[in-house]
C-alpha cells in the first residue's frame, strides 16, 4: 500500500439551507489520479475550495501527508505543496506569461526569502540582490521556460505577452504551467479542458497523462467523461453534495445511481450508459 | 440627578436621533446606488451640498416657502443625480473596475470647486423658516425643526418602501440589485433603473443637505465631504447595499456621535465615526446585521487597471533628463521657478509612494495625505522638541511614517476594491483628527511654528537652488529604490496581488506580508516627502495636509499611468509645476485637477506613459 497523500474525512459545508458538501470522504495515495465528477452544482468546486483553504468547512477534517491542514489559509497550503487551478481561469491578466509562471514558484524562493526571516530581510535582499538571489532568479526563469515548453508552441512564443492577450484555452494552459512551477505534491485541476475544442482537449489529455507518468498526484474535476475514464485511477461521483459512488472508472460508469444522477432517466440514461462503457 | 434620564441625556438622545435621521437620508441613497451598481458614490456628499445651496437660493433669492423649497431641492438634486449617472458614470460601463469609483471622486471634487467659485468658500447662514418653539419632554426639549427632520426621515423611508414594494420600477430596482445580468435578460431596462436610483438617492441626499443647513444655520461648499463620508460609514455599519441596515446604521452612528460628544467634546465628533468605520471594516466587513462567514460582496469585477503597453523610456534619456533637471538651477536663477519646481519634486515623491500602493498593488489609497501629515509632524517635532538635526529628523520621520502608516492601514489589508478606498480615506481623517486633538504633542489647532529649515552639518540650506536640489535628490533616491523593487520578485508578487488576490494566495503570497511591505516602503517615501515639506514651509497645521491632497496625488498617479515610476514624476510636474508656472489662478487649480481626473478616466485611463 502506497502512502496516503490526501485524506479527507466527513467534510461538510453548508450555505444557509443548502448543504453543498455533505460528509465527503476521500483519500488519494501518492501518485494516484482521482477524478471528481457530478452534475453542475453537485458541490465539486466547493469541495476543491475546502481542500485548498479558500473556504472553511463546517465539519470534517483534511490531512495532507499526515499533517492536519483543515481550514488552513490558502497561502499556507501552497507552502505545503498544494497547487490548484480555477474553474473559470484566474491568470494574472496584466502580468506577462513568464511572470505568471514565476509567481507560481513563489513558495520555492529561498535565497530571497530566507526561512525564519521577516519581510524586511526579503525587501533588503530584493533591493541589494546578492549573487545567490540573482542565481536563484535565473534558475527559476530557466525552469519556467522549461515548463512553458511542455505546452509546445502554445505558450513559449508568447512568454513576454500579457496574459490577458491569450486565448481562453491558452489561459487554462498557463494556469497549469503556473501550478507546475510550485512543484506541487498534490495538483488540483478544476475543469482543465472547459471551453476547449476536441483537438485541444486531446492535447490536454496527453499533458495530464505525462504529468501522471512523472509521478504527480492529481485530483481532477472534469465534465468530459472520455478524459476522466482514460486518465483516472479512481472516480468519486457527487450529486447534491453527497458521494453517490466511488471506485474504478469502469465500475462507476456502470453504477445505476451514477447514470441516473449524472445523465437523467430512461432512454437518455441507457444511451449514455453505452456511451460511458464505450468510452473506457 | 445625573444618569441616563436627566434632561441633558434626553437632549443628547434626541440630537443623536436627529443627526442619525440626516445620515439615514444620505446612507439610504448610497445603499440604493451600491445595490444596483456596486459602487460607493463618493460624489454623494457633493449632491448634499448642492441641495443645501439650492435651498439657500430658494429662501434667500426667491423667498419661497418651505414646502416649495423642499420640492425644488429634491427635484434639482434628482436632476443632478441623473446627470451624474448619465454623463459621468454610464460611459464607463465595461472599463477598468476602478474607473467609476475614481469618476465619483472627480465629480465630487468638481462640484465642490464649482460651488466654491460660485458662492465663495465662506459659510452662509441658512435660517430655518420654522417657528422657534420647543416642546418640553422630561428634562429635554424638541423643536419644530427636529420634528420636521424626523418627519422627512420617516416619510421618505415610507415612500421608498412603497416604491420598492409596490411599483413596477421598484421591483426592477430590487431585481437589478439581486442580479443585474439576470434582470437585464428578463427585459429590465437597467439604465432606467440606474437613472431612477440616482434620482431618488440624490433627491434624498439634497433634502438632507437642506435640513442640515437649517439645523446648524450654516452651509459651505465643503460641507459635503464629511457628510458623504458619514453616509458611507453608516452604510458600512448596516452592510453595503442593505437599505434597512443603512437606516439602522445611521441612527446608531448618530447616537454614538451624540453621546461621544457629550463625554469627550465636540472636536472629537468625527473621530468616533471613523474609528467605528475602521472597526466595522476590520471586524465585520459585511456590516453588523449580516450573518457571519460570508465573503463580502465583490465590488465589480474585471481587470483592475486598463491594459496597456507602457511607454519604454530608454535609459540614456532618463539619465539625460536627470542631469538636465539637476543642472537647471545653474541656468535658471529665478527663485520662484525653482521653488515651484522644488515643490513639484516633493509631490513627485508623494506620487511615487502612491503609485506603488495604488498602481502596483492595486490598493487605491485615499488617505495618502495622512501619511504626509505623519511625516511632516514627526520631522518637525523631532527637530523642534527632540532637538534632532534636520538631516536625521527627515529619515527618522520616514521610518516613523512607514511603521505608523503600515499599522494604521493594516485593518484594510483584508479588504478589497472600494472598501480599501473608504478605509484609507477614513484612516487619513483619523490622522488629521488625532493631530487636531492631541494638543500636548501636536500643539493642536495652532499648528507647529518655526520649523527649522533644511540643513546639513549645521548649515541651513535656505537658498532656492537647495530647496530645489534636495527634493530632487529625494525623487531620484525613491524612484531608484522603487524601480529596483519592481524589477525584483517583489514587483511581480505585488502586481499579482493587484490582479487577483485569490489566485495570489493560492500560490503562497500572503496578503498581510506583501501589502505591509508595500505600505511600509510607500509610507517611508511619503514620510520623507511630508518631512521635507514641513522644513521647506516652516509652518504646518492639521490642514496643511488636507484630504484634497490625496485626490491630487491620485490624479498625478493616474495621469502618469498607474504603477509607472516615471509616470508618477511626470504627473507631479505636470499638475503642480505647470499650473503654477502658467500662473493659473489659484482658486481654479483644484477644479483643473478634478476635470483632468475625469477626462483621464474617460479617455485615457492608462495615463500618459501607460499602466505597468
Amino acid at each position: 500500500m502506497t502512502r496516503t497523500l490526501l485524506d479527507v474525512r466527513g467534510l461538510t459545508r453548508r450555505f444557509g439551507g443548502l448543504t453543498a458538501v455533505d460528509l465527503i470522504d476521500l483519500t488519494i495515495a501518492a501518485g494516484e489520479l482521482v477524478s471528481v465528477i457530478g452534475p453542475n452544482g453537485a458541490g465539486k468546486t466547493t469541495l476543491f475550495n475546502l481542500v485548498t483553504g479558500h473556504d472553511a468547512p463546517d465539519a470534517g477534517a483534511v490531512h495532507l501527508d499526515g499533517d492536519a491542514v483543515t481550514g488552513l489559509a490558502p497561502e499556507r497550503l501552497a507552502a505545503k505543496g498544494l497547487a490548484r487551478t480555477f474553474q473559470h481561469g484566474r491568470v494574472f491578466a496584466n502580468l506577462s506569461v513568464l511572470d505568471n509562471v514565476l509567481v507560481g514558484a513563489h513558495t520555492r524562493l529561498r535565497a530571497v526569502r530566507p526561512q525564519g526571516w521577516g519581510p524586511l530581510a526579503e525587501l533588503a535582499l530584493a533591493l541589494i540582490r546578492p549573487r545567490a538571489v540573482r542565481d536563484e532568479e535565473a534558475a527559476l526563469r530557466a525552469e519556467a521556460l522549461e515548463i512553458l515548453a511542455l505546452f509546445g508552441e502554445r505558450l513559449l512564443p508568447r512568454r513576454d505577452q500579457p496574459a490577458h492577450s491569450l486565448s481562453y484555452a491558452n489561459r487554462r494552459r498557463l494556469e497549469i504551467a503556473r501550478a507546475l512551477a510550485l512543484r506541487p505534491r498534490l495538483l488540483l485541476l478544476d475543469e482543465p479542458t472547459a471551453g476547449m475544442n476536441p483537438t485541444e482537449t486531446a492535447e490536454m489529455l496527453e499533458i495530464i497523462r505525462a504529468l501522471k507518468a512523472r509521478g504527480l498526484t492529481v485530483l481532477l474535476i472534469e465534465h468530459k467523461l472520455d478524459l476522466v475514464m482514460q486518465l483516472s485511477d479512481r472516480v468519486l461521483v457527487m450529486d447534491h453534495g453527497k458521494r453517490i459512488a466511488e471506485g474504478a472508472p469502469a465500475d462507476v460508469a456502470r453504477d445505476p445511481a451514477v447514470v441516473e444522477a449524472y445523465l437523467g432517466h430512461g432512454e437518455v440514461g441507457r444511451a449514455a450508459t453505452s456511451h460511458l462503457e464505450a468510452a473506457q | 440627578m445625573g444618569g441616563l434620564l436627566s434632561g441633558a441625556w434626553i437632549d443628547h438622545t434626541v440630537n443623536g436621533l436627529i443627526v442619525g435621521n440626516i445620515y439615514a437620508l444620505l446612507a439610504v441613497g448610497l445603499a440604493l446606488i451600491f445595490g444596483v451598481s456596486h459602487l460607493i458614490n463618493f460624489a454623494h456628499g457633493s449632491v448634499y451640498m448642492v441641495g443645501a445651496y439650492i435651498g439657500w437660493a430658494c429662501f434667500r433669492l426667491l423667498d419661497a416657502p418651505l414646502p416649495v423649497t423642499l420640492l425644488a431641492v429634491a427635484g434639482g438634486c434628482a436632476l443632478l443625480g441623473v446627470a451624474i449617472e448619465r454623463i459621468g458614470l454610464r460611459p464607463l460601463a465595461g472599463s477598468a473596475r476602478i474607473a467609476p469609483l475614481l469618476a465619483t471622486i472627480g465629480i465630487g471634487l468638481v462640484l465642490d470647486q464649482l460651488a466654491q467659485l460660485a458662492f465663495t468658500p465662506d459659510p452662509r447662514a441658512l435660517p430655518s423658516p420654522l417657528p422657534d418653539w420647543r416642546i418640553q419632554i422630561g428634562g429635554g426639549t424638541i423643536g419644530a425643526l427636529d420634528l420636521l427632520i424626523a418627519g422627512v426621515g420617516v416619510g421618505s423611508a415610507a415612500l421608498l418602501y412603497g416604491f420598492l414594494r409596490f411599483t413596477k420600477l421598484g421591483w426592477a430596482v430590487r431585481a437589478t440589485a439581486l442580479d443585474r445580468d439576470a434582470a437585464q435578460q428578463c427585459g429590465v431596462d437597467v439604465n432606467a433603473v440606474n437613472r431612477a436610483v440616482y434620482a431618488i438617492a440624490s433627491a434624498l441626499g439634497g433634502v438632507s443637505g437642506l435640513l442640515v443647513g437649517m439645523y446648524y444655520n450654516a452651509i459651505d461648499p465643503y460641507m459635503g465631504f464629511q457628510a458623504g463620508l458619514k453616509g458611507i460609514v453608516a452604510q458600512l455599519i448596516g452592510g453595503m447595499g442593505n437599505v434597512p441596515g443603512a437606516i439602522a446604521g445611521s441612527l446608531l452612528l448618530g447616537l454614538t456621535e451624540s453621546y461621544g460628544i457629550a463625554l469627550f467634546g465636540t472636536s472629537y465628533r468625527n473621530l468616533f465615526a471613523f474609528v467605528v468605520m475602521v472597526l466595522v471594516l476590520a471586524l465585520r466587513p459585511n456590516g453588523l446585521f449580516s450573518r457571519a462567514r460570508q465573503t463580502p460582496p465583490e465590488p465589480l469585477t474585471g481587470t483592475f487597471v486598463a491594459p496597456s503597453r507602457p511607454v519604454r523610456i530608454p535609459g540614456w534619456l532618463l539619465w539625460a533628463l536627470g542631469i538636465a533637471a539637476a543642472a537647471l538651477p545653474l541656468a535658471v536663477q529665478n527663485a520662484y521657478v525653482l521653488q515651484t519646481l522644488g515643490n513639484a519634486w516633493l509631490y513627485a515623491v508623494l506620487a511615487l509612494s502612491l503609485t506603488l500602493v495604488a498602481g502596483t498593488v492595486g490598493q487605491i489609497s485615499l488617505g495618502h495625505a495622512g501619511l504626509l501629515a505623519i511625516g511632516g509632524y514627526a520631522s518637525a517635532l523631532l527637530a523642534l522638541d527632540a532637538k534632532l538635526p534636520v538631516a536625521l529628523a527627515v529619515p527618522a520621520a520616514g521610518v516613523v511614517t512607514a511603521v505608523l502608516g503600515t499599522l494604521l492601514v493594516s485593518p484594510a489589508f483584508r479588504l478589497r476594491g472600494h472598501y480599501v478606498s473608504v478605509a484609507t480615506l477614513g484612516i487619513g481623517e483619523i490622522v488629521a483628527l488625532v493631530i487636531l486633538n492631541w494638543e500636548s504633542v501636536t500643539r493642536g489647532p495652532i499648528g507647529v511654528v518655526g520649523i527649522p529649515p533644511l540643513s546639513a552639518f549645521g548649515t541651513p540650506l535656505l537658498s532656492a537652488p537647495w530647496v530645489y536640489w534636495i527634493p530632487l535628490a529625494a525623487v531620484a533616491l525613491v524612484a531608484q529604490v522603487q524601480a529596483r523593487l519592481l524589477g525584483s520578485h517583489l514587483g511581480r508578487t505585488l502586481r499579482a496581488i493587484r490582479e487577483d488576490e485569490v489566485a495570489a494566495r493560492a500560490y503562497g503570497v500572503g496578503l498581510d506580508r506583501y501589502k505591509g511591505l508595500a505600505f511600509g516602503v510607500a509610507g517611508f517615501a511619503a514620510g520623507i516627502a511630508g518631512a521635507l515639506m514641513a522644513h521647506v514651509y516652516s509652518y504646518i497645521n492639521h490642514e496643511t495636509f488636507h484630504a484634497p491632497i490625496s485626490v491630487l496625488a491620485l490624479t498625478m498617479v493616474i495621469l502618469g499611468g498607474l504603477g509607472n515610476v516615471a509616470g508618477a514624476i511626470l504627473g507631479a510636474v505636470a499638475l503642480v509645476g505647470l499650473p503654477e508656472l502658467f500662473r493659473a489662478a489659484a482658486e481654479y487649480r483644484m477644479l483643473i485637477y478634478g476635470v483632468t481626473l475625469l477626462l483621464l478616466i474617460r479617455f485615457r485611463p492608462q495615463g500618459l506613459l501607460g499602466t505597468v
Side-chain angles (χ1 to χ4, degrees), chain B residues 19-34:
Chain B
V19 173
N21 240 308
I22 287 166
Y23 293 158
L25 286 172
L26 283 165
V28 162
L30 285 164
L32 282 172
I33 289 173
F34 189 88

Side-chain angles (χ1 to χ4, degrees), chain A residues 151 173 176 192-193 196 200-208:
Chain A
F151 298 85
R173 294 186 185 103
I176 295 176
T193 70
M196 288 190 176
E200 292 167 336
T201 304
E203 203 179 295
M204 183 57 74
L205 186 142
E206 287 316 315
I207 286 168
I208 299 174

